[in-house]
Amino acid sequence: MKPKIYDNKPLKSFNPLVAYAGVLFGPPAVVTNFKCFATILKEFFFLQYFEKFHILRIPVVHVDHPLDKKIPFTPSKVGIYLDFINLWVRPLAMLVKKFGFWHASRLTKKWMLRFRKLYQCCGKIYHFRLTTTDRPKYKEMREFRQIHALDPHFLCVPSLHVSTVILAWGFYRKIFGEEDFTETEKTQWTEELYKGAVEIAETVLYVKQHSVNCIPAALYLSTANFPELVSVEDARAFIDDMFVAPEGFSAEAALQIKEHIRATYEKYLEDGAKSEHWYKPVWDFLENYERKDE
């Protein structure tokens, strides 16, 4: 069956429920998917709650940085922050519409293998040091009440949000090049995913779920472990494209923030090239980090 053509139709127009209802549990991917869900439970939920209830006693590092204060707390952006899952689920719904459930499920398996590996890579750091930041005790919006209730906030470095969205962009860019897509679809959807990834990366700072120290580690993890999807040059361009139009703070402050992210990322690259394990530079950073409030 010839794939359908969706020129000029944005990914945001595809209903993620299509993917949730079918493709995530399609026979080609179901075993891989449940292994991935188990890893997420282990490395995200169980790890944090075991720490919260003192079953684990992993040292916790506060990774706040003075530059964080330059970015205003902007609760209205929480919807963007919470969209990081649908950013990669909506394209799965598109794959169902374009190729059918069976082939879409095979492509889903490819993503979920990488998504599981992402959590396993993060676990290499989380089991060494847990990390947190100061976040406002804001209860005016339901979304923040849910976030604070469900997220004990011990997994800041590296940012799973940032790693997920840049990895999703890199993954679908690769799929668009390998499968039967029109040039219009490839260009439009790659750009839409990239713009969404940058916006979410900015928003983790606007809603105070992360520090500027969380982003370079996420980019480093991605390029160190998934070079076939995200290159070093991709990460550098991603940093350049952040806060091009800062909201509520100055362009000068935005430049300082980007320079800090860039310098920290480059240091990880430099030290990683001399290390036996990719995660050693992040371990060293966390082991030696001293919080600076001024």
Side-chain angles (χ1 to χ4, degrees):
M1 183 177 70
K2 188 175 181 180
K4 297 177 182 178
I5 295 175
Y6 290 104
D7 286 359
N8 302 316
K9 184 173 182 178
L11 288 171
K12 282 198 171 183
S13 67
F14 291 92
N15 188 347
L17 291 178
V18 172
Y20 288 123
V23 72
L24 287 176
F25 300 99
V30 67
V31 174
T32 297
N33 292 345
F34 275 94
K35 286 182 178 178
C36 181
F37 299 149
T39 299
I40 292 171
L41 285 173
K42 174 179 178 286
E43 301 296 355
F44 185 82
F45 290 103
F46 292 166
L47 183 61
Q48 292 195 86
Y49 279 97
F50 284 175
E51 180 73 20
K52 180 178 180 179
F53 295 117
H54 308 293
I55 298 171
L56 293 175
R57 295 189 181 276
I58 301 172
V60 179
V61 179
H62 283 257
V63 293
D64 302 272
H65 190 280
L67 287 171
D68 298 328
K69 296 179 180 179
K70 293 182 180 290
I71 303 171
F73 177 51
T74 312
S76 61
K77 289 183 176 290
V78 71
I80 298 170
Y81 172 81
L82 293 173
D83 197 49
F84 88 108
I85 293 295
N86 281 337
L87 183 87
W88 61 261
V89 173
R90 279 189 294 265
L92 298 183
M94 175 273 294
L95 294 175
V96 172
K97 296 291 188 180
K98 188 171 178 67
F99 297 115
F101 274 101
W102 191 265
H103 189 50
S105 188
R106 289 206 299 261
L107 297 175
T108 299
K109 179 178 180 178
K110 291 184 177 182
W111 163 253
M112 295 300 277
L113 285 169
R114 290 171 169 88
F115 198 41
R116 183 186 184 206
K117 180 182 174 182
L118 170 60
Y119 275 81
Q120 291 170 329
C121 291
C122 286
K124 293 287 188 182
I125 299 169
Y126 297 156
H127 285 274
F128 174 72
R129 291 287 189 277
L130 296 175
T131 46
T132 192
T133 63
D134 291 334
R135 58 182 181 181
K137 293 180 173 61
Y138 183 79
K139 299 180 180 180
E140 302 302 315
M141 294 174 65
R142 172 178 52 83
E143 292 87 346
F144 282 95
R145 293 195 296 271
Q146 291 174 344
I147 290 169
H148 292 185
L150 296 174
D151 178 13
H153 199 52
F154 287 128
L155 307 181
C156 288
V157 173
S159 166
L160 268 165
H161 264 67
V162 175
S163 293
T164 296
V165 295
I166 195 170
L167 195 64
W169 163 69
F171 172 78
Y172 287 111
R173 177 179 59 173
K174 188 172 188 290
I175 292 297
F176 295 155
E178 294 174 346
E179 300 291 330
D180 190 0
F181 290 90
T182 68
E183 290 303 316
T184 301
E185 289 171 336
K186 292 178 187 178
T187 300
Q188 178 179 334
W189 290 341
T190 302
E191 290 178 356
E192 182 181 346
L193 285 167
Y194 184 76
K195 180 181 178 182
V198 171
E199 191 174 30
I200 288 170
E202 294 174 348
T203 301
V204 302
L205 301 179
Y206 279 116
V207 300
K208 302 301 177 182
Q209 279 293 110
H210 282 288
S211 163
V212 295
N213 283 323
C214 307
I215 294 175
L219 297 176
Y220 171 66
L221 178 150
S222 301
T223 56
N225 292 283
F226 304 93
E228 78 283 7
L229 301 182
V230 184
S231 70
V232 169
E233 289 308 312
D234 287 333
R236 288 169 175 158
F238 192 87
I239 296 168
D240 288 339
D241 290 331
M242 290 183 66
F243 296 117
V244 173
E247 299 179 38
F249 64 107
S250 68
E252 180 183 4
L255 182 60
Q256 292 174 341
I257 290 163
K258 289 161 68 167
E259 286 301 322
H260 174 79
I261 293 171
R262 182 179 295 107
T264 307
Y265 174 72
E266 295 294 339
K267 185 71 164 58
Y268 285 147
L269 288 180
E270 180 184 348
D271 292 347
K274 300 177 287 188
S275 301
E276 182 179 358
H277 301 293
W278 70 268
Y279 47 82
K280 184 63 165 55
V282 186
W283 281 18
D284 291 344
F285 173 85
L286 295 176
E287 194 168 32
N288 298 306
Y289 188 72
E290 294 182 10
R291 176 175 171 173
K292 305 174 183 66
D293 292 318
E294 299 299 334

